[in-house]
Amino acid sequence: MSAAGNVLERIGHYSLAKLVIMVAGLVSYPILTRVLSPAEYGTMGLIITMLNLAIGVSKLGLQFSTVRMWAQWEDDPRDQQRFILSFFLATTMASLAATVLYDVGSFLLRAFIGQEMLFFILISSPLILLRSLHSFGMAQLNASQRSRAYGLFEVAGAYVTMIAAVLGATVVIGGLRGYYHGLVLGEAVMIAALMAFILRGVRMSRDNLSVPLVKEAVTFGFPMSLYEMSGVLFYTGDRFIILWLLNKAQLGYYTVAYNLAVYINTVFTLPVTMTVTPAVTSIYEREGSEAASAFLGRASRWFFMFAFAAVAGLFMTCTDLLKLLASEKFSPGAALVPTLTAGLLFTGGREILGAGMFLKKRPWLMARINLMGALLNGALNLVLIPQLGIQGAAVATLLTQMAITGMFWARGSQLVKAPVALGPMGMHAGLAAAMAGILYFIDPGAGVIRLVLRIVAGMVIYSVMLLALDGDARELSKKVLARFR
């Protein structure tokens, strides 16, 4: 099979997995938004942000080190065992320590955060260990480009945890308390299965533990963990500002809209970036900068080809979609969805456009840029929220993501160029805008019928225009059809 065929096949595996996972999310999403009040949903969003910061510390950035370093260790089976066991033990010890510190710190601050919030923090804190181990396992599958296994574990994990969390929130216990108990139980079951799969055949012995490897991995990974934590503040730090300037209900509207944008981003961008990162790393290690640059140029075309269509289509369907999934009580968040989706799509493009910093191992530079993004986003929120309300937080996210993605592209291309064909990108943006213009006239009235008609019509219209005007899209479709045959 050709290299292009391999890449397309892996993108297909990741895309199918993300699509199936989105279905799980679209099942739990309307249930939880109907069971929880806007204030409870806002509390859940705030705790997720706090957990993600702690998880960012606990992983030490080892998931990034796994993807970056695996190509140097994968040729020898003995080296593979040393690599996997060393990373597993380092992740386990770091995440256990982070969980203890998180719980102790929260308890000491109980006078400031309140008893109710402390309770939810403590019952959800095992997720720090579980999600750190999940990150280790999935990074290992991604680095070794086992996209089928990755997809199977991700889909199984999403459905097991979704079912457990929903049952906890609705039947067994009820409310946010039941949600967290079910979530922890579901994730624990799946992590046990994932670790058994990853560690099978790995001999648990001192000889298979490499301290120098762990030191090298942490040297690269720790600044990447700062990159990840600043990214968490970048993407979700506005939650604290919304709560401070507005209230929990407004935070709930924003969180619901943000989560819907995440679902869209999961399907349209993550499969591409998850395929591109290990693939371009392998190309760079074996063939050098020029081959990696050529690959990034092709990847950027694929990315923007679908990203513009996703934003335009969501702009025309967001109100009907959010009301259907989250109920009328969360309708104030509908207007935020297109803006947030566009911002998250820029985030996906950053992994391609700024790949040079990852390939050349410039983690401190990546961390500094992300920290600048977090500070810029916070400043814009402080300015825009008093003027625009929660829409100001969405606009701040979009503006900051655009600026930081541009900076990633500029700095990353100084190391390994990531070409962007501006002509095709402009064409794809124009086609997406034309599609949205046509969808505007498909309006039998608000509701499910309009939503379905616009989604189906948008897919058909954009596909026809794309195949008619873009030769690369036609070649890509031929390769996809060939894979199905």
Side-chain angles (χ1 to χ4, degrees):
M1 186 186 302
S2 67
N6 278 321
V7 169
L8 289 174
E9 183 178 10
R10 289 193 293 273
I11 289 176
H13 294 158
Y14 291 132
S15 296
L16 180 60
K18 297 300 182 185
L19 186 61
V20 175
I21 289 169
M22 188 180 76
V23 173
L26 295 180
V27 171
S28 63
Y29 186 81
I31 295 174
L32 293 176
T33 51
R34 285 162 173 80
V35 171
L36 305 177
S37 68
E40 287 178 313
Y41 208 94
T43 298
M44 183 175 70
L46 198 64
I47 290 176
I48 289 173
T49 300
M50 297 168 63
L51 280 172
N52 285 340
L53 287 170
I55 293 166
V57 175
S58 71
K59 292 186 293 187
L60 298 177
L62 293 178
Q63 75 276 24
F64 298 104
S65 299
T66 299
V67 176
R68 181 63 188 85
M69 297 170 61
W70 175 251
Q72 300 167 306
W73 288 72
E74 64 178 336
D75 293 333
D76 187 321
R78 176 67 183 275
D79 285 344
Q80 289 182 14
Q81 289 196 37
R82 295 175 67 198
F83 188 98
I84 292 171
L85 183 60
S86 298
F87 274 63
F88 167 71
L89 293 176
T91 301
T92 301
M93 290 187 292
S95 56
L96 283 172
T99 303
V100 171
L101 291 174
Y102 179 79
D103 286 343
V104 172
S106 299
F107 184 79
L108 294 176
L109 294 172
R110 62 189 183 280
F112 298 97
I113 61 180
Q115 287 296 126
E116 182 184 44
M117 181 67 78
L118 176 64
F119 174 75
F120 289 130
I121 288 173
L122 294 178
I123 65 173
S124 63
S125 66
L127 293 171
I128 298 172
L129 170 63
L130 295 173
R131 291 185 176 176
S132 296
L133 290 174
H134 177 269
S135 177
F136 153 74
M138 300 306 277
Q140 185 59 51
L141 293 176
N142 186 218
S144 55
Q145 304 191 49
R146 288 183 282 177
S147 54
R148 284 192 182 92
Y150 187 105
L152 288 173
F153 272 104
E154 192 167 36
V155 168
Y159 276 85
V160 169
T161 55
M162 181 270 290
I163 292 170
V166 168
L167 288 177
T170 58
V171 178
V172 181
I173 299 175
L176 202 54
R177 176 169 166 260
Y179 168 80
Y180 280 121
H181 281 302
L183 189 65
V184 169
L185 176 62
E187 293 204 15
V189 170
M190 286 312 304
I191 292 307
L194 177 60
M195 291 302 100
F197 182 80
I198 293 294
L199 297 172
R200 75 193 193 287
V202 175
R203 190 164 55 90
M204 299 291 175
S205 71
R206 190 180 184 87
D207 292 339
N208 271 344
L209 176 61
S210 174
V211 175
L213 171 60
V214 172
K215 289 181 178 178
E216 181 184 358
V218 172
T219 299
F220 176 77
F222 180 70
M224 292 299 294
S225 71
L226 298 180
Y227 163 76
E228 183 177 17
M229 286 186 292
S230 58
V232 172
L233 287 174
F234 189 173
Y235 309 136
T236 59
D238 47 14
R239 308 289 200 281
F240 298 102
I241 299 176
I242 292 171
L243 183 61
W244 177 40
L245 295 179
L246 301 175
N247 53 56
K248 284 186 178 180
Q250 294 293 310
L251 177 59
Y253 301 142
Y254 183 83
T255 304
V256 162
Y258 192 93
N259 287 347
L260 182 56
V262 168
Y263 291 141
I264 302 301
N265 185 60
T266 294
V267 173
F268 282 95
T269 67
L270 284 185
V272 176
T273 56
M274 288 174 60
T275 302
V276 166
T277 301
V280 75
T281 301
S282 181
I283 291 171
Y284 176 78
E285 289 293 337
R286 288 170 169 76
E287 302 177 43
S289 294
E290 290 188 8
S293 178
F295 178 81
L296 290 172
R298 294 193 300 272
S300 68
R301 282 207 61 172
W302 298 338
F303 175 80
F304 288 113
M305 184 185 298
F306 297 107
F308 287 127
V311 175
L314 197 61
F315 182 78
M316 299 305 302
T317 59
C318 60
T319 300
D320 294 329
L321 187 61
L322 190 135
K323 287 182 178 179
L324 172 67
L325 296 176
S327 79
E328 187 73 31
K329 69 182 178 182
F330 284 100
S331 59
L336 312 178
V337 177
T339 308
L340 290 170
T341 301
L344 290 176
L345 290 174
F346 272 105
T347 304
R350 181 182 310 155
E351 304 298 325
I352 299 172
L353 301 177
M357 289 183 285
F358 185 78
L359 296 174
K360 292 289 188 179
K361 297 183 180 179
R362 300 292 192 275
W364 287 108
L365 176 58
M366 298 173 69
R368 285 198 299 271
I369 295 175
N370 244 11
L371 182 58
M372 290 172 58
L375 295 174
L376 176 60
N377 192 40
L380 288 175
N381 271 278
L382 290 172
V383 172
L384 295 176
I385 289 177
Q387 304 298 320
L388 304 175
I390 50 174
Q391 183 65 254
V395 172
T397 295
L398 175 58
L399 294 176
T400 308
Q401 296 290 358
M402 291 174 63
I404 298 303
T405 298
M407 190 175 296
F408 263 74
W409 184 28
R411 298 304 300 271
S413 290
Q414 291 175 353
L415 301 169
V416 177
K417 188 175 181 181
V420 174
L422 297 179
M425 186 172 71
M427 178 183 66
H428 296 147
L431 294 178
M435 176 194 70
I438 296 171
L439 294 182
Y440 175 80
F441 295 100
I442 302 176
D443 192 1
V448 177
I449 294 177
R450 183 174 71 177
L451 174 64
V452 173
L453 287 176
R454 284 183 170 180
I455 290 175
V456 174
M459 294 173 63
V460 173
I461 291 167
Y462 188 74
S463 297
V464 170
M465 291 191 298
L466 191 63
L467 292 174
L469 298 176
D470 191 329
D472 283 349
R474 289 193 293 272
E475 289 299 317
L476 182 62
S477 65
K478 289 177 182 177
K479 291 175 181 177
V480 172
L481 290 173
R483 290 299 307 153
F484 277 109
R485 293 195 191 101

